[in-house]
Amino acid sequence: MATITTDRAPSSLQTRLTSPMNLVATGWALTCALVGLFILCDVLAYVWPTSALAHGWIRLFATEPDNIARTLVEGVLGNAVAAWIAALLFVPVYNRLAGR
């Protein structure tokens, strides 16, 4: 019978729950998620322009939704900034509350 072993020491559930959340990892994860959603909405708005499914998200982060290049640049930068602001607000509060 074969036995699988790993080099990592087993971590307890308590250790994993009390370890602090990483600000940089959370910031990058939120940036990827929000920028990905914006690009998906932007593509959907240009593929199906009569649908109002994605236009609200695009107008939230872009000043000129009719200019394709400017919309993409403003949207990506706006979502990245919003993600980092959210991470800067969320992570310290989470770490403070999780430590209790």
Side-chain angles (χ1 to χ4, degrees):
M1 178 179 229
T3 305
I4 299 174
T5 60
T6 62
D7 292 337
R8 292 192 292 171
S11 63
S12 69
L13 180 62
Q14 184 64 27
T15 304
R16 282 185 278 151
L17 291 177
T18 59
S19 62
M21 184 178 272
N22 188 342
L23 177 67
V24 175
T26 305
W28 280 114
L30 283 172
T31 300
C32 291
L34 289 180
V35 168
L37 284 172
F38 181 82
I39 291 173
L40 183 68
C41 289
D42 201 27
V43 168
L44 181 65
Y46 291 115
V47 170
W48 191 11
T50 58
S51 170
L53 297 174
H55 296 294
W57 188 257
I58 293 171
R59 277 191 225 112
L60 185 63
F61 291 103
T63 57
E64 280 189 50
D66 296 330
N67 187 342
I68 296 171
R70 186 171 179 172
T71 298
L72 187 64
V73 170
E74 285 180 350
V76 168
L77 292 176
N79 278 286
V81 168
W84 280 98
I85 290 172
L88 285 170
L89 293 173
F90 176 75
V91 170
V93 172
Y94 173 83
N95 287 338
R96 172 87 174 171
L97 293 175
R100 292 183 177 192

